[in-house]
Amino acid sequence: MAQAAAVAKPPAPPRRRRASATPRRLPYLLIAPAALLMLGFIAYPVISVFYYSLQNYNPTKPWRNGYAGFDNFVHAFTEDPQFWQTLTFSAKWVVVEVGLQLLFGLALALIVNQTFVGRGLGRALVFSPWAVSGVLTSAIWVLLYNSQTGITRYLADLGIGSYGTSWLSDTSTVFPAAVVADLWRGVPFFAILILADLQSVLKDLYEAAEVDGASRLKQFWHITLPHLKDAIVLSTLLRMVWEFNNVDLLYTLTGGGPAGETTTLPLYIANTSVDAHNFGYASALTTVAFAILLFCSIVYLRLSKFGGETK
């Protein structure tokens, strides 16, 4: 009987082998070389800027080089009026540019989202300025604002204004002229992102709203805008950072002039480092700009509740 019971007893299940950790680590091992390279290319310049911000470093005056502590930061906040002037203009530039680009970009996205004959061509024309490089954009607008062959020449032929007028050399017109030039390049960015998000709005929501008697304005306010919230927040944040760091367009159009009227903080940093060779002070200004952007980005994301549910 005991022998029969032993025979009838089912065999013990095989032991499960412990899963190897290698397959789970494999994706991280594969991307490790690229991640390390990116970290090196990003971390080294950032650490270098922080290091030189605490130094007096000017290759043309090596006898003054050495550890400066926080002297560069103290000089920026207490003894350099141009720092506050350029920071104020940078804030004005960002607010005006991003606000207008968002407004016109949203309007264009709503227009090209409609069904009409030639919509594909219309979308291509709307988005084409974004494909043009910043330097080429600047060259185009330099030609358009040229006093001899540009817009002012044709306006003078029509009796509007006078010949030889240059909007880029007049302190009363240089800011609007620069704003218009950057709008031409920046508006398509908002239009592209907003249009992409508009494609995912369910048509049933608009149909239900029409059945309930909601007007177009109410549909836009209660359906379209809440759906576009995250796209608008992300696009405005990215554009604020880019516009704050705008150097190529303003440098090519005005060089920061006339009389420093269009000098942003990054352009001032570029002039301080490249022209004056004062890399220590320029690094301190760069650190301040980094801190400002970081603080504003965190506050903006917290206030906008990016990624949260829309009520």
Side-chain angles (χ1 to χ4, degrees):
M1 292 290 293
Q3 185 177 4
V7 173
K9 186 178 180 180
R15 289 185 177 181
R16 293 184 179 178
R17 294 183 177 179
R18 187 175 181 180
S20 176
T22 303
R24 288 180 295 178
R25 296 176 181 174
L26 183 60
Y28 301 101
L29 294 175
L30 292 176
I31 66 173
L36 291 174
L37 284 174
M38 291 182 63
L39 181 63
F41 280 112
I42 295 175
Y44 177 74
V46 171
I47 295 174
S48 297
V49 168
F50 289 155
Y51 170 77
Y52 284 113
S53 67
L54 303 175
Q55 306 289 324
N56 287 323
Y57 181 65
N58 189 332
T60 62
K61 301 176 182 178
W63 59 89
R64 294 185 179 179
N65 294 344
Y67 181 73
F70 293 98
D71 290 349
N72 289 325
F73 297 96
V74 173
H75 176 73
F77 286 102
T78 62
E79 302 174 7
D80 187 2
Q82 194 169 0
F83 165 74
W84 293 106
Q85 178 183 346
T86 56
L87 183 59
T88 303
F89 177 77
S90 296
K92 175 184 175 182
W93 175 262
V94 169
V95 171
V96 172
E97 276 294 340
V98 175
L100 292 178
Q101 289 177 21
L102 173 61
L103 180 64
F104 288 117
L106 177 61
L108 279 177
L110 292 173
I111 292 173
V112 298
N113 190 46
Q114 304 299 318
T115 302
F116 56 89
V117 178
R119 184 174 67 171
L121 178 61
R123 288 181 176 181
L125 292 175
V126 168
F127 301 151
S128 58
W130 184 246
V132 181
S133 67
V135 175
L136 184 56
T137 300
S138 304
I140 292 172
W141 284 95
V142 165
L143 292 175
L144 288 175
Y145 289 144
N146 187 280
S147 59
Q148 302 298 324
T149 59
I151 299 173
T152 55
R153 162 74 182 277
Y154 293 100
L155 291 177
D157 290 340
L158 297 174
I160 303 174
S162 58
Y163 291 100
T165 302
S166 176
W167 290 344
L168 296 178
S169 60
D170 190 341
T171 56
S172 62
T173 58
V174 63
F175 181 72
V179 166
V180 171
D182 200 50
L183 280 178
W184 183 79
R185 181 178 63 169
V187 167
F189 170 76
F190 283 95
I192 292 170
L193 290 185
I194 293 175
L195 178 62
D197 209 28
L198 281 174
Q199 304 296 309
S200 61
V201 181
L202 297 177
K203 303 298 181 183
D204 297 342
L205 296 176
Y206 293 106
E207 294 175 359
E210 289 181 0
V211 171
D212 292 338
S215 63
R216 288 291 183 90
L217 181 60
K218 289 185 177 180
Q219 293 178 30
F220 172 77
W221 188 259
H222 294 287
I223 298 176
T224 306
L225 271 185
H227 185 84
L228 296 176
K229 174 197 165 187
D230 284 349
I232 291 176
V233 171
L234 179 61
S235 58
T236 51
L237 177 61
L238 291 175
R239 201 62 190 158
M240 280 191 292
V241 174
W242 293 341
E243 288 298 342
F244 184 88
N245 292 321
N246 191 325
V247 172
D248 55 350
L249 182 109
L250 289 174
Y251 182 80
T252 307
L253 281 179
T254 66
E261 287 290 327
T262 58
T263 303
T264 59
L265 180 58
L267 185 55
Y268 178 45
I269 294 172
N271 292 334
T272 302
S273 58
V274 177
D275 296 338
H277 305 288
N278 193 350
F279 293 100
Y281 186 56
S283 298
L285 295 177
T286 304
T287 304
V288 172
F290 171 78
I292 291 173
L293 286 177
L294 181 62
F295 174 77
C296 292
S297 299
I298 293 174
V299 172
Y300 181 69
L301 291 176
R302 292 293 297 272
L303 293 178
S304 63
K305 298 180 181 179
F306 177 72
E309 293 183 1
T310 305
K311 295 182 179 180

